Amino acid sequence: MSAPQWNNKVVKWVDDRLPVISMLHHSAYEYPTPKNLSYMWNFGSLAGFVLVTMILSGIFLVMNYTPHTSMAFESVERIMRDVNYGWLIRYIHMNGASMFFIVVFIHIFRGLYYGSYKAPREMLWWIGILILLAMMATAFMGYVLPWGQMSFWGATVITNLFSAFPIIGDPLVTWLWGGFSVDNPTLNRFFSLHYLMPFVILGLVVLHVWALHSVRSNNPTGVEIKTPKDSIPFHPYYTIKDLYGLGVFLIFFSAFVFFAPDYLGHPDNYIPANPLVTPPHIVPEWYFLPFYAILRSIDFTIFGIPAKLLGVLAMFASIVILFVIPWLDTSKVRSSKFRPVYKWFFWLFVIDTFILGYCGAKAPDDYFLGIPGLKVIVMGQLSTLYYFVHFLVVMPLVGKLERTKPLPASISESVLKEGANA
Amino acid sequence: MSQTVHSSGEHQPDENRRDFLTLATTAVGAVGVGCALLPFVDSMNPSKDVLALASVEVNLANIPVGQAIKVMWRGKPVFIRHRTEREINEAEEVALNELVDPQTDDARVEKKEWLIVVGVCTHLGCIPMGTATGETRGDYDGWYCPCHGSHYDTSGRIRRGPAPLNLVVPEYEFLTDTSVRIG
Amino acid sequence: MRKFALTAIAAAFAVTAFTGGAAKAAGGDQPAPAAQDWSWQGLFGTYDRAQLQRGFQVFKNVCAGCHSLRFIAFRNLEGIGFNEDQIKAIAAEYDIVDGPNDDGDMFDRPGIPADYFPSPFPNEKAAAASNGGAIPPDLSLMNKARVGGPDYVFGLLTGYEEEAPEGFDLADGKYYNHYFPGHQISMAPPLYDEAVEYTDGTPMTLEQHARDIAAFLNWTAQPELEARKALGMKVILFLIVLTAMLYAVKRKIWRDVEH
């Protein structure tokens, strides 16, 4: 990578001393990108956009928010009613959280489908999982800040998860709370961390992009770039494609912000927190529902480990397991496009996560989709089982046994072939 | 290292059209970004509840002649002085050309005995002394700003020191003889 | 490739609709209140000022006896079509506790537009004591804080039954309501025909009163609704134009690339 020669004197002066412009030029301009990326590759840059939007809207919300149990709810309502465009900024932030998860979940599913976690992209994948974990922590703590009923009881339930650990559990929870229940100290520390975490995420994103740019983007064929003919410079080809995708996404986002701002939220969070009354039906935000379903599915004891601890472990394991899939997947082929058997299991897994989400939203004793005799808890247990079976059994076995389709010799060959078929 | 497979040179015939389209899109996009930032900027302006509280009513009945009080208005002190005959004369007799910021006393009061000014030094925003009984009132019997030594007279006008302007007269209205609404 | 993208986008829609809907479908055994027609529904729906003012009348004469409306200031009534003088007159009808005065005592004074609607009870304990232990909730956000929003409010107010169904064990001092969770509500039926006197010729039925107060409470919960939708229209139209232009530029740039 030879440093480009800058004609502008100021640019050259700066770049000779701190080659930041060259760096940006390499990574956002000439970065050689596979020429066959589909629209599924738009979601990475979209996630970056949403992160920036969240930080920006968050900073402006903080200018009017008061992190105190006696004023948090009121200050949020003041933002909604009195602050100029406060309602807009808050609805952007509120729905932006959901958008962030939609975009990131699609991004992760894309990675799973096209085998983007496989060597040499393990570090890239790991950093991605860390980003997901950081996002979950941030979203959870952010949801507590308006200090509504769901904020309060969500905080109570989730922090109580840690009491499942033997011996250290109870002191740990007291430490998390800074008291003997979720109260003002808890709200204050969540506020502090909620402000900190986005910048941690931002740092992780820089690492994520760095890792990406050193191993190069995967692509729908899963075949690496071999000759210069396989790639095109990032700019203008992918900058414009990303911008077009951003336009489509913004329409989707705006539809929620302006026309259904509370659709993804829960009415109980417009009731101020009341430590004496638990709402009859506590559900987390939709993006936590699959994990919540896994937590709740474990209502039995194994080897004397209590259900409560098992549930917590299963929930954490459902994410931690993602760290080891580069080794659980034994297939030599990356892209599911060329894996006729695994492809079906992939879609089964996607459906499985949807079922988990549905189960997480329902009371355990409800009937699944109203089917008599099929309790939500049972369906949740089956789906939890498949969730882990998929990674621990299907991935290693199918990878070994499956007869994959022949791979194209190169990206440009596959492009030409598809072009001829079209 | 960058391998531009299709250098722009290949598009000669279209060059203008593409430029126009790209330019127009860039312009529309820029307008969009600008408009998107406006709500954020506007959110930092005074909010509706702040604007709604922008007036305060003060009862003057309890201020004896020769004394002054401070009241809060929009988060700032307002000085209300019940002026003595001597103070009024002093304020009226000054020749305009002696003043840094020439203004007649008449232009600064509604009723001669009541002087109402925002109690913030026009230099750098400190609160001048001289309202409470016993505080120094400076060389001109009005107020004295301890921060950088500005002297104000009995009409709240700047007479000496670094402050460039007279103490600001807020909008106010006498509701009755003994009550005034500021703002 | 394209199929995958489409599926993913469909899935994104599905997951939001599905889980969002599922999360809301939760609840007890009470029936879901029937959906009503409201003037502000749809992309272009706006509030009916006359209806909001009637609803305000219902609030003032009926609800305000027990319920607070703490997030609404008199100045906000501009949003339902009152002018400055009317607002001043309405505000002045209320006694607002202010102070302490120079003697250190709290005192009552007539309200001004900047004041908020005073609570009928000095504190929660007093509210509970006067209402058989049940605290009448604040109404400012009621339409956002209940599943079903205005439909629920309307259903609740019109869903009283004089006699509990046979076999239902109704506690003393409670009333039977179809839509209240558990069916036992502490609030006596607040509305009846001609509970409030309308001056604009609107029929003074229980149902109309309930409809009007539900509309008013929707405004108190979402006063920004009209501005939000109007801005949303502009934003989305703008985005459609911009996105179409970006697509054209994208086509142009990619035209000669085999991909």
Side-chain angles (χ1 to χ4, degrees):
Chain A
M1 254 185 241
S2 59
Q5 282 306 307
W6 301 108
N7 291 327
N8 184 311
K9 278 202 178 121
V10 179
V11 171
K12 186 169 163 23
W13 189 90
V14 172
D15 203 62
D16 286 346
R17 283 150 185 84
L18 179 71
V20 63
I21 299 166
S22 289
M23 194 184 82
L24 287 176
H25 186 83
H26 283 309
S27 54
Y29 201 94
E30 64 178 24
Y31 170 62
T33 317
K35 59 202 269 191
N36 62 335
L37 297 188
S38 69
Y39 280 108
M40 290 312 295
W41 266 259
N42 275 52
F43 291 89
S45 68
L46 277 185
F49 170 82
V50 182
L51 174 63
V52 172
T53 306
M54 292 303 280
I55 291 179
L56 183 72
S57 54
I59 286 171
F60 281 84
L61 285 177
V62 169
M63 293 182 189
N64 287 293
Y65 170 75
T66 309
H68 190 278
T69 51
S70 65
M71 286 165 81
F73 192 90
E74 282 70 11
S75 69
V76 171
E77 276 309 309
R78 202 188 134 256
I79 291 172
M80 294 296 290
R81 290 157 193 274
D82 288 330
V83 173
N84 301 314
Y85 291 104
W87 58 267
L88 175 61
I89 299 172
R90 176 173 181 237
Y91 279 151
I92 287 176
H93 201 71
M94 216 172 111
N95 286 285
S98 286
M99 294 302 135
F100 206 175
F101 278 98
I102 290 177
V103 166
V104 163
F105 283 155
I106 295 176
H107 188 64
I108 294 171
F109 277 128
R110 189 269 287 157
L112 285 172
Y113 186 83
Y114 292 109
S116 302
Y117 47 85
K118 291 166 83 75
R121 297 190 176 80
E122 300 93 328
M123 286 289 280
L124 177 60
W125 176 253
W126 283 352
I127 297 165
I129 302 167
L130 290 178
I131 292 173
L132 175 66
L133 286 170
M135 275 173 66
M136 294 172 96
T138 312
F140 162 65
M141 290 188 287
Y143 194 62
V144 175
L145 303 185
W147 211 241
Q149 273 289 65
M150 278 293 169
S151 300
F152 182 86
W153 292 102
T156 301
V157 169
I158 300 300
T159 47
N160 262 315
L161 289 181
F162 294 93
S163 71
F165 296 108
I167 306 167
I168 57 158
D170 284 328
L172 182 62
V173 173
T174 310
W175 177 76
L176 283 175
W177 286 342
F180 302 103
S181 65
V182 173
D183 207 338
N184 201 47
T186 327
L187 177 62
N188 270 271
R189 60 191 60 184
F190 279 15
F191 176 59
S192 163
L193 295 173
H194 182 71
Y195 209 140
L196 169 71
M197 288 302 286
F199 299 98
V200 174
I201 296 177
L202 197 63
L204 287 169
V205 167
V206 170
L207 293 180
H208 196 62
V209 173
W210 188 6
L212 172 74
H213 285 226
S214 55
V215 296
R216 297 285 155 83
S217 304
N218 188 20
N219 66 83
T221 63
V223 176
E224 296 287 351
I225 297 173
K226 285 174 185 157
T227 63
K229 271 173 72 185
D230 292 341
S231 73
I232 42 178
F234 191 81
H235 181 80
Y237 296 101
Y238 285 105
T239 37
I240 185 63
K241 196 173 175 184
D242 281 351
L243 283 173
Y244 165 56
L246 177 62
V248 175
F249 166 76
L250 282 177
I251 294 172
F252 178 76
F253 190 177
S254 304
F256 277 97
V257 167
F258 292 104
F259 294 98
D262 290 310
Y263 183 78
L264 296 167
H266 197 287
D268 278 310
N269 225 26
Y270 283 108
I271 303 172
N274 180 353
L276 297 178
V277 183
T278 306
H281 200 79
I282 301 192
V283 278
E285 290 291 87
W286 69 267
Y287 37 83
F288 290 138
L289 289 175
F291 307 103
Y292 189 57
I294 292 175
L295 169 80
R296 271 198 330 203
S297 302
I298 316 290
D299 58 353
F300 45 82
T301 305
I302 302 177
F303 305 129
I305 306 173
K308 183 173 169 184
L309 178 58
L310 271 183
V312 173
L313 291 177
M315 188 179 73
F316 287 133
S318 69
I319 295 172
V320 172
I321 199 169
L322 296 174
F323 280 104
V324 290
I325 62 168
W327 296 276
L328 290 174
D329 184 354
T330 52
S331 176
K332 295 211 160 44
V333 173
R334 279 203 190 90
S335 171
S336 296
K337 238 175 131 179
F338 304 101
R339 301 184 61 188
V341 180
Y342 180 74
K343 189 193 251 174
W344 291 102
F345 285 104
F346 170 82
W347 286 110
L348 187 60
F349 177 74
V350 174
I351 293 166
D352 188 66
T353 55
F354 274 73
I355 293 175
L356 280 172
Y358 177 85
C359 293
K362 290 290 189 182
D365 286 332
D366 284 352
Y367 290 111
F368 183 79
L369 293 174
I371 301 166
L374 186 56
K375 288 247 168 110
V376 160
I377 179 87
V378 177
M379 203 58 198
Q381 285 164 343
L382 291 174
S383 332
T384 302
L385 184 67
Y386 181 71
Y387 187 98
F388 288 102
V389 165
H390 179 83
F391 290 121
L392 294 173
V393 181
V394 173
M395 264 192 170
L397 276 187
V398 174
K400 282 252 188 308
L401 302 175
E402 178 180 46
R403 266 182 66 137
T404 53
K405 290 186 198 163
L407 291 178
S410 71
I411 292 173
S412 55
E413 192 203 86
S414 85
V415 166
L416 292 175
K417 215 168 76 194
E418 270 186 25
N421 291 343
Chain B
M1 175 89 202
S2 86
Q3 44 294 89
T4 321
V5 188
H6 305 275
S7 69
S8 55
E10 289 174 34
H11 297 302
Q12 285 301 356
D14 267 349
E15 199 72 333
N16 288 333
R17 200 174 147 207
R18 178 204 264 196
D19 276 349
F20 174 73
L21 186 63
T22 310
L23 214 64
T25 310
T26 311
V28 172
V31 169
V33 172
C35 291
L37 292 178
L38 282 181
F40 291 93
V41 174
D42 194 24
S43 78
M44 291 172 71
N45 278 321
S47 59
K48 295 189 194 91
D49 55 331
V50 171
L51 293 174
L53 281 173
S55 71
V56 59
E57 276 180 39
V58 186
N59 181 4
L60 304 175
N62 299 327
I63 312 171
V65 178
Q67 291 200 10
I69 61 161
K70 279 185 212 176
V71 294
M72 280 290 271
W73 175 65
R74 291 186 178 172
K76 293 181 286 200
V78 169
F79 297 154
I80 303 178
R81 166 157 288 163
H82 199 166
R83 297 194 291 186
T84 60
E85 206 59 38
R86 200 176 62 88
E87 285 166 347
I88 297 171
N89 291 340
E90 241 176 76
E92 285 179 339
E93 279 162 10
V94 181
L96 280 188
N97 57 18
E98 285 179 32
L99 296 172
V100 182
D101 177 16
Q103 226 179 357
T104 61
D105 186 57
D106 252 8
R108 295 176 55 79
V109 292
E110 297 244 329
K111 294 184 183 217
K112 284 190 194 309
E113 59 270 36
W114 296 106
L115 174 69
I116 301 179
V117 288
V118 174
V120 175
C121 179
T122 56
H123 180 222
L124 290 170
C126 296
I127 312 296
M129 297 165 74
T131 307
T133 317
E135 275 181 1
T136 172
R137 291 168 63 166
D139 295 353
Y140 296 86
D141 280 345
W143 286 273
Y144 168 72
C145 182
C147 290
H148 307 96
S150 294
H151 297 259
Y152 295 91
D153 67 11
T154 54
S155 188
R157 290 171 298 199
I158 178 65
R159 300 297 289 273
R160 190 147 62 77
L165 299 171
N166 302 334
L167 292 178
V168 174
V169 179
E171 245 180 71
Y172 63 87
E173 182 190 3
F174 279 91
L175 301 172
T176 65
D177 273 354
T178 57
S179 112
V180 66
R181 186 176 62 208
I182 302 169
Chain C
M1 197 154 40
R2 194 143 291 170
K3 217 166 63 190
F4 190 133
L6 286 177
T7 323
I9 291 165
F13 275 100
V15 77
T16 51
F18 184 68
T19 50
K24 293 208 164 129
D29 62 337
Q30 68 281 357
Q36 308 291 321
D37 279 333
W38 302 105
S39 67
W40 60 86
Q41 281 168 333
L43 294 183
F44 302 99
T46 54
Y47 288 124
D48 172 355
R49 294 287 181 285
Q51 181 177 40
L52 297 186
Q53 293 192 10
R54 290 196 305 270
F56 171 58
Q57 215 186 332
V58 176
F59 170 78
K60 205 168 73 167
N61 294 321
V62 182
C63 319
C66 303
H67 291 277
S68 55
L69 194 67
R70 63 191 181 119
F71 291 117
I72 302 296
F74 297 110
R75 63 187 161 82
N76 295 135
L77 294 176
E78 199 190 334
I80 66 171
F82 288 116
N83 64 33
E84 216 185 311
D85 291 334
Q86 288 171 311
I87 290 172
K88 279 184 182 163
I90 293 167
E93 291 171 23
Y94 289 81
D95 283 334
I96 304 292
V97 179
D98 201 351
N101 63 14
D102 296 343
D103 301 324
D105 300 322
M106 301 304 278
F107 59 94
D108 279 351
R109 58 161 175 80
I112 58 167
D115 288 319
Y116 287 77
F117 274 91
S119 168
F121 301 103
N123 53 55
E124 285 199 341
K125 296 277 184 208
S130 311
N131 291 283
I135 300 170
D138 184 80
L139 293 183
S140 318
L141 283 163
M142 195 46 74
N143 276 28
K144 272 173 151 183
R146 294 289 182 278
V147 178
D151 296 334
Y152 172 79
V153 171
F154 177 80
L156 185 91
L157 291 172
T158 55
Y160 281 94
E161 210 59 63
E162 290 206 5
E163 295 280 323
E166 219 153 301
F168 189 89
D169 194 14
L170 194 64
D172 258 4
K174 298 274 184 182
Y175 303 86
Y176 187 87
N177 191 297
H178 282 293
Y179 301 106
F180 190 74
H183 299 300
Q184 302 199 59
I185 187 169
S186 302
M187 175 170 70
L191 295 176
Y192 42 90
D193 289 348
E194 296 180 25
V196 177
E197 196 164 303
Y198 289 155
T199 51
D200 61 354
T202 310
M204 294 176 276
T205 59
L206 158 64
E207 206 187 284
Q208 188 62 41
H209 290 325
R211 204 175 291 280
D212 293 345
I213 185 67
F216 175 70
L217 292 183
N218 208 73
W219 171 78
T220 63
Q222 311 186 48
E224 88 298 343
L225 179 138
E226 288 175 349
R228 168 159 60 77
K229 288 208 239 177
L231 183 60
M233 271 300 154
K234 285 184 217 150
V235 168
I236 288 182
L237 283 179
F238 173 84
L239 284 174
I240 288 172
V241 171
L242 177 62
T243 306
M245 291 178 85
L246 286 168
Y247 182 65
V249 177
K250 190 241 158 200
R251 286 278 298 247
K252 207 100 197 105
I253 290 176
W254 278 80
R255 199 184 47 183
D256 297 314
V257 183
E258 290 282 0
H259 65 282

